[in-house]
Amino acid sequence: MIKITWLVIVLLGSVTMKGQTVLTHLAKDGYKGIFVLTGDHIPKVNSALTGYTIERRAVDEKEFRLVTTLNAVTSVDEFREKANASVHLLPYNTSTSRFRLDSIWKKSRIKQSLLDLGAVAHTLPVLAGLNMIWVDSNVQEGKSYTYRVTGIGERYQVVSIPVVYTTNDTLAGLLFERGMYNQPQQRMELYWTTAGKDKPVFIEAYRSENNGDFRKIDAVVSVLPVKDTLQYLVTDTTAKKGGLYEYYVKGYDEFGNAGRNSATQAVAALDYVQMMLPEMVRSAPDSLSKGIRISWELKDASYIKMLSLYRSTNSVDGFRQVAVLSVDSKEYVDEEVQPATPYFYYFEAEYKTQSRPKRSTAFAASFSDSTAPANPSGLVATVTKEGIRIDWEYAPANTRGFWLYRSERGAPLQLVSKLISSDSSSPLYSFTDTDSLLSGGRYYQYALKAYSTSHIESGFSDTVVARPMKNTPVPRSPMKVTVTSSDDKVFVFWDDVSAYDRDVAGYLLLRSKRNPGTKGAFTTDTITCSSNMYTDSLSEADGLVRYSVITQSVFGTASVASGWFSLHTNPIRPVPPSSVRVNPVKTGIHLNWEPVANPGPSKYNIYRYERGAQPVKAGTVTGEESVYIDGQVTKGKHYFYFIRTVTATGAESERSNEAGINF
């Protein structure tokens, strides 16, 4: 027996096109043709609406033509006859026995609309009984038809959208979900689901026993709505305990359109206690594959749908699936394991007739690998505020961690870290040496060793060298600074700090000169020295110079400056010009002289005086000139001239030779 609810046929989706009302669900192709509905208004013999006419227009026709007239039903017997006859419009066996036809007929006599009769009014038997649905069987496959329904005696007219008659499978597919043998009630319970637009409303079930032919069975089918899907429960009460069966189902819609057969599903009529599991289970280390080899025996594998193997490092929890096994296999090698690590396994079987899987008892296994791990490589040292960070990349598996070693200037490498744990999620590693004894005045070498899960160490990696930035030593200040002068030069000597501090890179000499014309203003410059002495030329000094020395280390640090050491020097005056000559000219007195060659003067000052008077500056010319005309003179007077060389610092030379003239 098929227990399934009739699907309500709803007339929805009206639109107006070219002045006509178009109903999108007025016509629908079905098993024996195209089903055409009329509307919601019930026709009656003695009423304004006594029936409907149905016209049809094929895609290659211009006008509608009458194809049938549906008159109002006159009696309950006629209503019952048409309702019962509707079951022959469908390809599957169904019945109207659950409909209370007499009661529906009485209500239809006092109600005007199908909506007043409730949901049952929109089922195929009731629509057929009231002569409000018609099947057009005179249609061609693949051809499009449009239908127009007009009320008789009432102004009512609707048109369908074009409908193409087809026998292709258009229903949503049926997917097997689960199956189980209900031992207390001794029946097979199978679940299929479907989702989509056109879902089946009727299910036929077919079964094969012991690889025989498939036959349709008298199964009970229930429909269970689940959100946007339908679930179909197929109950087979004729399945025998211990039997192995294959099933498939076929679906139909409310108009008899058939869907495709579902995939074949094998199930066994066994209860949970009888379910078989792997036997004679053995486990042993496999040195070739570096894993654990597990073997077993399995009887009656045909009843099992899926066999899985689970693993954990804990005998109680933490198990995860490591393999889905073929039911015909008898061994499996687990290569995703760490050496020298205990593991626990169990099998889980899913059966063709049970939705609940079954587990075996847990068993233990492990293996060890005597191969030394690969040496770490690609080390990079980076100096940070905290110390020295070592970065490296290491991908080989079965690594428990790493040891970090350090040495100083050729000394043997010493272990300086606890075990640095490996991380299977990333091959990139980093460790910072923050030892408080690290000195910024030392260079350190680092190397790594890998440590396997089998407690085997690798060789040393390549070494990297770095110097930390903390605890950097400051060099000593120079001592015994002396400053002497000789032959217009200053000699500065100081203690050679590099003789007792190997990290000295050189020295900075601070030289400070007093600004001309001031008593306490100095200009200081810095001179880099590679040794502990410096010779300074003071050709332009004006009498006071002072010096201080700073020691520099190879690490960029510097000592405190030594004290200032001063020296008073005599000014070095420039050389005056020579061969000063004077001659009268129309515009005054013309002077010329032999210029100073080295060092070149900045300018020349020309001085003039009369006997018994003080010299006055008559003029100034640049150091590149050697001629001057004095136009500020008076005829009849006797004048004397001399010239002084002036340097860039303003220092003047002694007088040149004098030259006199009567103008």
Side-chain angles (χ1 to χ4, degrees):
M1 180 183 71
I2 307 298
K3 181 181 179 183
I4 190 164
T5 304
W6 284 89
L7 187 71
V8 175
I9 303 172
V10 184
L11 193 63
L12 295 175
S14 66
V15 295
T16 302
M17 298 178 62
K18 297 182 180 180
Q20 294 181 317
T21 300
V22 178
L23 295 183
T24 56
H25 291 75
L26 185 66
K28 178 74 169 64
D29 64 320
Y31 170 61
K32 289 191 174 182
I34 296 178
F35 286 75
V36 183
L37 302 169
T38 58
D40 286 327
H41 199 175
I42 303 172
K44 298 176 183 178
V45 175
N46 298 317
S47 68
L49 180 67
T50 60
Y52 294 96
T53 61
I54 298 179
E55 299 170 281
R56 185 186 75 185
R57 183 181 66 199
V59 67
D60 54 354
E61 297 174 341
K62 294 183 179 180
E63 303 294 334
F64 284 96
R65 64 179 182 85
L66 181 68
V67 289
T68 189
T69 299
L70 301 178
N71 295 314
V73 177
T74 59
S75 66
V76 65
D77 292 334
E78 184 183 0
F79 170 72
R80 188 183 298 110
E81 180 182 356
K82 288 180 177 293
N84 290 331
S86 68
V87 300
H88 301 298
L89 298 176
L90 302 174
Y92 46 81
N93 294 328
T94 186
S95 171
T96 61
S97 60
R98 75 176 196 83
F99 290 91
R100 299 173 62 186
L101 296 179
D102 290 351
S103 175
I104 295 172
W105 169 257
K106 290 179 181 180
K107 287 183 180 181
S108 71
R109 297 305 90 194
I110 60 178
K111 302 294 183 181
Q112 300 298 319
S113 173
L114 292 176
L115 300 176
D116 299 327
L117 300 182
V120 70
H122 289 86
T123 58
L124 180 61
V126 175
L127 291 172
L130 294 175
N131 216 14
M132 296 179 69
I133 191 171
W134 176 70
V135 179
D136 185 2
S137 59
N138 188 22
V139 289
Q140 298 179 18
E141 172 110 14
K143 195 170 184 179
S144 175
Y145 300 91
T146 303
Y147 295 87
R148 182 168 65 190
V149 178
T150 304
I152 301 175
E154 187 177 78
R155 295 186 62 183
Y156 170 81
Q157 191 174 77
V158 291
V159 178
S160 75
I161 62 173
V163 179
V164 177
Y165 177 66
T166 177
T167 58
N168 295 332
D169 298 329
T170 59
L171 298 187
L174 291 159
L175 301 176
F176 182 78
E177 187 177 79
R178 67 183 187 274
M180 62 175 293
Y181 185 72
N182 190 324
Q183 175 65 22
Q185 299 186 24
Q186 296 187 356
R187 66 186 188 186
M188 188 76 77
E189 296 175 356
L190 308 163
Y191 291 84
W192 276 266
T193 60
T194 187
K197 191 173 181 181
D198 298 317
K199 302 180 182 68
V201 301
F202 187 88
I203 297 293
E204 287 180 340
Y206 294 81
R207 186 186 73 192
S208 169
E209 184 176 357
N210 297 325
N211 297 321
D213 295 335
F214 280 93
R215 302 177 186 275
K216 186 166 68 174
I217 59 173
D218 187 16
V220 177
V221 180
S222 300
V223 181
L224 309 171
V226 181
K227 294 184 179 180
D228 59 344
T229 66
L230 289 180
Q231 186 182 70
Y232 305 88
L233 169 60
V234 178
T235 303
D236 181 8
T237 58
T238 62
K240 299 178 182 179
K241 181 180 178 180
L244 181 62
Y245 301 96
E246 288 183 296
Y247 292 89
Y248 74 83
V249 293
K250 186 173 185 177
Y252 301 87
D253 68 5
E254 66 272 27
F255 297 107
N257 294 308
R260 295 181 180 179
N261 296 344
S262 71
T264 301
Q265 185 65 39
V267 292
L270 296 173
D271 63 11
Y272 189 76
V273 177
Q274 294 175 302
M275 297 296 115
M276 61 293 301
L277 285 168
E279 301 175 339
M280 302 177 65
V281 178
R282 298 179 180 86
S283 61
D286 190 317
S287 58
L288 183 62
S289 61
K290 297 184 179 180
I292 298 175
R293 184 176 298 275
I294 301 170
S295 61
W296 64 90
E297 297 290 337
L298 183 61
K299 297 179 180 179
D300 297 325
S302 59
Y303 291 108
I304 295 179
K305 180 172 63 177
M306 186 170 71
L307 183 65
S308 302
L309 182 66
Y310 286 77
R311 181 190 68 210
S312 174
T313 55
N314 188 311
S315 63
V316 178
D317 54 21
F319 285 88
R320 67 177 185 86
Q321 188 184 66
V322 294
V324 176
L325 307 167
S326 167
V327 295
D328 298 322
S329 61
K330 294 186 177 182
E331 68 176 21
Y332 173 77
V333 178
D334 187 4
E335 298 180 1
E336 296 182 1
V337 292
Q338 299 292 331
T341 303
Y343 291 97
F344 298 88
Y345 296 87
Y346 67 73
F347 289 99
E348 182 177 271
E350 293 185 31
Y351 304 94
K352 296 177 181 178
T353 185
Q354 290 287 338
S355 59
R356 181 161 59 113
K358 189 175 182 180
R359 294 182 180 179
S360 70
T361 56
F363 56 94
S366 65
F367 94 101
S368 295
D369 185 4
S370 59
T371 305
N375 297 345
S377 61
L379 274 67
V380 176
T382 305
V383 178
T384 67
K385 293 189 298 184
E386 293 77 17
I388 298 176
R389 187 182 74 233
I390 307 299
D391 297 285
W392 69 98
E393 185 174 349
Y394 195 83
N398 303 329
T399 304
R400 187 178 178 189
F402 306 89
W403 302 110
L404 181 65
Y405 291 78
R406 183 185 71 208
S407 69
E408 179 183 344
R409 291 221 178 187
L413 288 165
Q414 300 291 329
L415 182 65
V416 293
S417 75
K418 296 181 180 179
L419 183 67
I420 304 169
S421 299
S422 65
D423 183 0
S424 59
S425 64
S426 173
L428 303 178
Y429 294 90
S430 180
F431 180 84
T432 301
D433 183 7
T434 59
D435 193 339
S436 60
L437 298 178
L438 289 175
S439 171
R442 300 289 178 266
Y443 284 90
Y444 297 93
Q445 287 184 320
Y446 289 90
L448 281 167
K449 280 187 176 183
Y451 188 60
S452 75
T453 53
S454 295
H455 309 287
I456 306 296
E457 282 189 348
S458 72
F460 278 116
S461 68
D462 295 335
T463 59
V464 290
V465 179
R467 179 182 64 84
M469 296 179 64
K470 62 180 184 177
N471 302 329
T472 305
V474 176
R476 298 181 185 181
S477 299
M479 305 292 288
K480 303 177 182 179
V481 180
T482 61
V483 181
T484 60
S485 64
S486 175
D487 298 330
D488 299 330
K489 296 186 182 297
V490 175
F491 301 95
V492 185
F493 296 91
W494 59 88
D495 187 21
D496 185 9
V497 183
S498 63
Y500 48 84
D501 187 345
R502 61 185 179 182
D503 297 326
V504 172
Y507 305 92
L508 295 178
L509 178 66
L510 306 181
R511 179 178 61 189
S512 183
K513 299 179 181 180
R514 186 167 59 188
N515 296 334
T518 67
K519 292 184 178 181
F522 288 83
T523 299
T524 303
D525 55 351
T526 303
I527 303 168
T528 302
C529 302
S530 59
S531 64
N532 61 321
M533 64 171 293
Y534 181 73
T535 302
D536 195 7
S537 173
L538 293 175
S539 60
E540 298 181 3
D542 64 355
L544 180 60
V545 182
R546 60 184 183 180
Y547 299 89
S548 180
V549 187
I550 297 172
T551 306
Q552 285 188 304
S553 75
V554 294
F555 310 120
T557 56
S559 72
V560 177
S562 69
W564 287 101
F565 297 86
S566 302
L567 179 70
H568 290 271
T569 62
N570 294 321
I572 303 173
R573 306 189 72 171
V575 177
S578 62
S579 302
V580 178
R581 296 176 295 276
V582 294
N583 294 293
V585 294
K586 290 182 179 182
T587 56
I589 297 175
H590 178 274
L591 291 84
N592 65 329
W593 59 90
E594 291 294 329
V596 177
N598 188 33
S602 175
K603 59 185 177 180
Y604 297 103
N605 289 336
I606 296 93
Y607 293 87
R608 178 188 68 224
Y609 71 92
E610 297 178 51
R611 193 178 300 279
Q614 292 294 323
V616 295
K617 184 187 294 186
T620 302
V621 296
T622 66
E624 298 177 353
E625 298 180 73
S626 60
V627 175
Y628 179 74
I629 297 176
D630 183 9
Q632 303 297 319
V633 294
T634 303
K635 288 184 178 183
K637 290 189 176 183
H638 191 87
Y639 295 99
F640 295 92
Y641 291 89
F642 64 86
I643 302 174
R644 294 181 187 269
T645 303
V646 184
T647 67
T649 61
E652 280 192 329
S653 69
E654 296 291 337
R655 292 183 179 189
S656 67
N657 64 292
E658 287 189 357
I661 187 172
N662 284 316
F663 182 67

